[in-house]
Amino acid sequence: SEQPLLADTVCKAFLSVTLPRLLDLCDARFENDYDAVLVTYHDNGLFANVLQLLDALLLSKPGVPILVDWQRRGVEGHFQYGPVGFDLFQHLFARTSRCRSATRHDGQRSRVNDFRKRVNILFMNMLRGLIWKVPDKDFQALREGYHQAMQGALIPSPLMCRKLKEVRDTWPEGARVVGVHKRLGTNEVAACQLAQRNPPPEEYLA
């Protein structure tokens, strides 16, 4: 397929997704329209859903509970973590006053904001490479904003802390580790990139 036009892709994403969600969550005219945010998984991988959760934490009203529904239904093509009914969020993160797993009762709340997509265009499939073009000052402000939003809200579960310690105990003292999020080498993944190609691991590391 032909490579999408960058400006066209940015404008469509901003006008169809980012702007409406910013109005829903942040505009003072609508701030009393919701008393909770329900973050329902979308059928992508884990980190795509983590980015969606980070957007919810950053953009929602302070103090509003973020309810996370990461429980498999059994029909997913990509979100295949654990058996049907497995609560991935509860497995990975501890419950906090700001963020916890959603219950069946939460889905029936009358004033819940249904949050199903990433909002920041820099987190969207074809546009993620743009993050490296953000001016240093703005990039740092972006990182600090998300970092602050996560504080006290996203805490690893005791199980994950134990598992991480087990792994770290095998490393030599002073070891430095580089993590690479390897994308699958499929046509579908390539179609999600602005360049319409899937870079090899060596290119990611470079």
Side-chain angles (χ1 to χ4, degrees), residues 17-157:
V17 179
T18 303
L19 183 58
R21 299 304 284 145
L22 288 176
L23 291 175
D24 283 346
L25 292 165
C26 308
D27 193 302
R29 294 171 296 174
F30 309 116
E31 64 179 7
N32 294 320
D33 287 355
Y34 68 98
D35 59 10
V37 174
L38 177 62
V39 179
T40 304
Y41 77 86
H42 58 109
D43 194 11
N44 279 185
L46 171 61
F47 282 96
N49 282 277
V50 169
L51 294 175
Q52 176 185 351
L53 176 56
L54 294 182
D55 273 345
L57 286 167
L58 178 67
L59 299 173
S60 301
K61 292 185 298 185
V64 167
I66 308 297
L67 313 172
V68 185
D69 180 4
W70 282 1
Q71 297 185 47
R72 282 198 62 197
R73 308 294 193 269
V75 296
E76 298 82 7
H78 303 278
F79 193 81
Q80 298 185 8
Y81 303 100
V84 174
F86 180 70
D87 189 337
L88 180 62
F89 183 82
Q90 184 173 285
H91 184 75
L92 297 177
F93 298 101
R95 175 179 177 137
T96 65
S97 59
R98 173 70 159 157
C99 199
R100 62 173 173 81
S101 286
T103 65
R104 182 175 301 178
H105 173 72
D106 289 325
Q108 300 171 353
R109 297 172 70 134
S110 60
R111 298 176 60 221
V112 66
N113 187 298
D114 196 359
F115 196 101
R116 292 179 178 268
K117 293 183 178 180
R118 285 162 281 181
V119 176
N120 189 337
I121 60 174
L122 298 176
F123 289 167
M124 296 178 188
N125 284 340
M126 292 185 181
L127 304 176
R128 279 182 293 229
L130 290 177
I131 199 165
W132 305 116
K133 299 182 182 297
V134 175
D136 290 345
K137 182 179 179 181
D138 296 329
F139 183 47
Q140 186 61 31
L142 187 72
R143 294 184 63 187
E144 290 175 356
Y146 281 105
H147 177 74
Q148 184 175 354
M150 291 172 59
Q151 295 305 296
L154 281 184
I155 299 175
S157 68

